[in-house]
Amino acid sequence: MTEIIAADIGGTNARFARATLTPRGVPTLGKVRKYKVADYPSLQACWGAFAQDEVEPLPRAASIAFATAIGRDVIKLTNSSWVIRPDRLDEELGLDRLRLVNDFEAVAHAVAKLPTDNLELLFGPDVPFPNRGSVTVLGPGTGLGVALISFDDGLPHVIATEGGHIDFAPLDAMESRIVDYLRDKFLRVSTERIVSGPGLNNLYKAMATISHARVELMEDSELWQSALDGSNRFARDALDRFCLSYGSVAGDLALAHGPGCVVLAGGLTQRMKAVLLESGFHDRFKAKGRFQSLMAQTAVRLAVHDEIGLYGAAAAFLPAQARPAEENN
């Protein structure tokens, strides 16, 4: 067994946990500790608070997921003053081994290691991940996270992407008018302007303007709650439109990657599961013209885990290994 520290660093919260890894790299998380990023001047200071709370000495190995692009000389977090210099980080944190990954890349590593029971079937046939082929992983949050798992003889290769920034393609008159409205605000309308946490508010305001409806303006969290519980009919209408767009985008990405399987991930999708199942998501997902029959045979699953970012950061630490056949059944 290998013991490491797993960390999931966002613009608002930093999460840490000890993790033990089997020889196959499957993690088990210990106690999760969460800290407000704004309360600490740097990652090193926050790491020190975690070390103090843990009492026992920390292992000298870690895997850290950041909610930003990785691979630059300097990493700057959105909505945070923290500046991370990867070439110095192992020394600053007292580590001998360190792995850095993008946050949604970590989610894809989690999907590659999660037990089948944590990959709930939503739509399509109940078939295992392909032995050779692709699994598209996506989920709305602050933006739209997209990653790809490419399986080669059962060996998963995780590929980070910026798929959330491709152009949004309207499919009916209402979506064309929504895009026209959003172009006045953003010039270019990417998929995450619509399929993301803030995207619901963009839809809500656009649809109200288009229909000349008087609506109550709400913060994102309040709008999502009223849409999910049905207490605001117009918010629920915006969520229904959100589900249509989510299905269209998921299907487009699956086609681009090669439709082996699609996994939806993240807390927002878990919250909206019941609405998603009753929505037009799957009809839009399948509506790909000559490829409709292929899309109908593509499984769409939901990754269920309370700390998928931390789990994924830990799962990314060791080199990839093929999933045993029994884990896929």
Side-chain angles (χ1 to χ4, degrees), residues 196-205 215-239 242 268 271:
S196 66
L200 182 65
N201 226 324
N202 289 334
L203 286 171
Y204 180 72
K205 293 172 183 175
V215 298
E216 176 189 357
L217 296 182
M218 290 179 270
E219 296 296 323
D220 291 347
S221 59
E222 184 183 4
L223 179 65
W224 270 100
Q225 185 57 47
S226 62
L228 288 168
D229 64 23
S231 59
N232 182 308
R233 183 64 254 175
F234 205 90
R236 187 53 170 259
D237 289 344
L239 180 56
F242 181 99
L268 200 53
R271 285 180 64 196

Side-chain angles (χ1 to χ4, degrees), residues 93 155 161 192 223 305 313 319 327:
L93 302 182
L155 185 69
T161 85
E192 75 170 19
L223 179 65
H305 195 285
E327 290 185 12

Side-chain angles (χ1 to χ4, degrees), residues 233-309:
R233 183 64 254 175
F234 205 90
R236 187 53 170 259
D237 289 344
L239 180 56
D240 289 341
R241 175 61 59 173
F242 181 99
C243 291
L244 292 175
S245 298
Y246 194 2
S248 294
V249 170
D252 286 346
L253 289 166
L255 276 178
H257 293 160
C261 180
V262 171
V263 177
L264 310 180
L268 200 53
T269 304
Q270 290 187 60
R271 285 180 64 196
M272 62 185 289
K273 172 190 163 185
V275 176
L276 204 64
L277 288 169
E278 297 175 356
S279 74
F281 175 97
H282 198 226
D283 288 339
R284 277 288 194 91
F285 178 85
K286 296 182 294 183
K288 302 302 176 187
R290 291 167 291 174
F291 288 91
Q292 181 156 338
S293 60
L294 176 63
M295 300 305 291
Q297 293 303 309
T298 300
V300 179
R301 297 184 179 274
L302 174 64
V304 180
H305 195 285
D306 291 339
E307 292 290 350
I308 196 166

Side-chain angles (χ1 to χ4, degrees), residues 54-105:
E54 280 292 290
V55 181
E56 293 293 325
L58 300 183
R60 295 182 62 85
S63 186
I64 306 177
F66 290 101
T68 189
I70 302 298
R72 297 171 292 176
D73 292 337
V74 177
I75 297 173
K76 177 70 172 66
L77 297 181
T78 305
N79 302 323
S80 167
S81 61
W82 289 8
V83 175
I84 292 96
R85 292 176 171 80
D87 60 340
R88 306 179 191 173
L89 195 55
D90 52 354
E91 182 178 350
E92 291 174 349
L93 302 182
L95 299 169
D96 297 324
R97 297 174 66 192
L98 174 63
R99 176 79 191 275
L100 304 182
V101 291
N102 165 267
D103 60 340
F104 217 80
E105 182 183 357

Side-chain angles (χ1 to χ4, degrees), residues 312-327:
F317 185 74
L318 293 180
Q321 296 189 48
R323 290 171 68 107
E326 63 270 16
E327 290 185 12

